Amino acid sequence: MLSEPPHQPALFCPLLSPPIGYGAPEVRAGAMPPAGPRRASSLAALVCLCAARGAPRASGQFLPPGTLRAPPLGSSGCSPEQVKDGEKFGLKYTYKMASEHPPNVAYEDYCAELGGVRVRFNDPCAWAHGQAQLTVAHFDGMCKGATRTIHWHDGADEWGYVSAGRLRTYVASPDGLPWPASNNVLEQHGVWYFPQGWLHGLTCLTPESEGGCVFIIVFRNPVSVPIDNHNLDTTVAQAPDAIAAASLSLGLDVYRKMRPAFAGSGGQPVNAMPGISPLVTMVAPGVCEPDCPQLPETTAAPAAVQHSVERTVQMAGGVLLHQIRTAQFPFAETMSQERTELPAGAARPLVWVTNADGLLVVTSGNITVSLQGGLAGSSNPAEAHTAFTERHLGPGDIAYFPVGRAYWFQEATGTEPASAITVFNVGTWRSIEMAEAVSLLPSWAVSSNLHQSRAAPVPHIYTV
């Protein structure tokens, strides 16, 4: 009934024993407590040492288990007026971010053969009463040498998914553990995870002639994406020259010659103008010709993994669920993903997640989504049992599934396949598959609860 693999206890490094204990615990039922900002230093050191000595499964042996509970409800900061304006055409739990909304930011001079780089992020005030606990950004039209500006997030862990192309990811650890930095190259369907506050960036490696890069980023935070974003250029430009130069390990004279190029970044943050604080910049001419510089690939507890780690579940009608929890991606402590492949006309059956909110992003094709019950309260009790159905969500469009609400989605045309990812705000989500759960319960009770006057032949897996 619970669509998760059995828990595997942590293995100890055969080369070192005993492991040093964890630090201050985080209160979380059934979970081993991590220490420090993210990892216990002693345990992470063992990961590195075990990996260096070739110990089996070193990458996942000492990282904390995936979280089992969604974070406390956070505030999007939306005012009642903003929420009212967002719902002027009706309450929704879907957002046609790509099919009905223009890009929030566009760089038409970058990757011009692909129509320029286009960035969209959802408006948290325009759906789910302004209470959705996950937000999203969609990058399209990136090409070789286009970088997502180095930055960090003050309030969000980040989950990324490569929809097309090859992408280099890089992230620096705050304490050098479990590595000083993780550098990885991802192919299509690869994913990454960057913890809150860790400095990171991305570079597309696929040229325009091959279609460039498309990727999706989901944030474990209800706040609008630009608010939570801190770009390198802005942070440096706002500091005094001597402090900024020292932070870049540059001499003061060298820094002062560089500063005019990004001095405008010290003003308003996150703007479409390249001279202010852009989300995307291009590397200097020649840097990625013929290829972008190579970096050593991080293999022990990496911050990014290929889709080969997925656990695949086959459902009725040829539907495939490709699942990544912390068990498959040990570094990803607080987020996870289910990638769904839908043959023409097929449906992902009724399901609900018991311990996490989910955000669905359509990655190809056309999908109809239905949520069985919204975010109800004393002022809107009927919403608890209302079906919210949206037809024809296309690539880049999104849906929000609050914890504990049943949902299903289906390929909408009947003629072409479709696909989507659903990202959760825990490392190990637990879900109830309706068909499986009902089959575990007494058939005579199921018949009665479906208002049958005679016992109906409801399938079950044991004799009552």
Side-chain angles (χ1 to χ4, degrees), residues 313-337:
V313 177
Q314 185 162 352
M315 308 291 282
V319 175
L320 295 177
L321 308 179
H322 306 287
Q323 301 174 338
I324 301 179
R325 295 179 172 87
T326 306
Q328 289 75 46
F329 185 5
F331 184 71
E333 182 187 353
T334 68
M335 300 183 78
S336 47
Q337 175 187 288

Side-chain angles (χ1 to χ4, degrees), residues 236-284:
V236 173
Q238 290 177 343
D241 287 358
I243 291 175
S247 71
L248 298 173
S249 301
L250 295 174
L252 187 57
D253 290 343
V254 173
Y255 172 76
R256 283 174 172 165
K257 291 177 181 178
M258 295 173 56
R259 191 180 187 281
F262 62 90
S265 301
Q268 291 295 317
V270 185
N271 190 287
M273 297 297 292
I276 300 183
S277 185
L279 294 172
V280 176
T281 64
M282 299 295 297
V283 299

Side-chain angles (χ1 to χ4, degrees), residues 421-439:
I421 61 169
T422 306
V423 178
F424 303 100
N425 57 357
V426 297
T428 302
W429 84 88
R430 291 174 165 174
S431 56
I432 300 289
E433 300 287 342
M434 183 71 154
E436 183 179 357
V438 168
S439 73

Side-chain angles (χ1 to χ4, degrees), residues 198-219:
W198 292 34
L199 192 66
H200 61 271
L202 310 163
T203 299
C204 177
L205 304 178
T206 303
E208 293 172 273
S209 60
E210 298 177 19
C213 297
V214 179
F215 55 88
I216 296 157
I217 308 177
V218 178
F219 302 93

Side-chain angles (χ1 to χ4, degrees), residues 66-131:
T67 53
L68 295 172
R69 294 181 180 176
L73 290 178
S75 172
S76 63
C78 297
S79 68
E81 292 75 18
Q82 288 174 307
V83 173
K84 183 177 180 180
D85 184 65
E87 296 177 356
K88 61 186 176 184
F89 299 113
L91 172 64
K92 291 183 178 294
Y93 287 86
T94 57
Y95 188 81
K96 292 192 172 182
M97 188 169 67
S99 61
E100 293 185 357
H101 293 271
N104 296 83
V105 181
Y107 304 92
E108 297 178 356
D109 294 336
Y110 299 164
C111 311
E113 293 180 20
L114 298 175
V117 175
R118 301 169 296 279
V119 185
R120 291 176 170 87
F121 35 87
N122 73 295
D123 178 1
C125 306
W127 69 339
H129 299 298
Q131 298 177 35

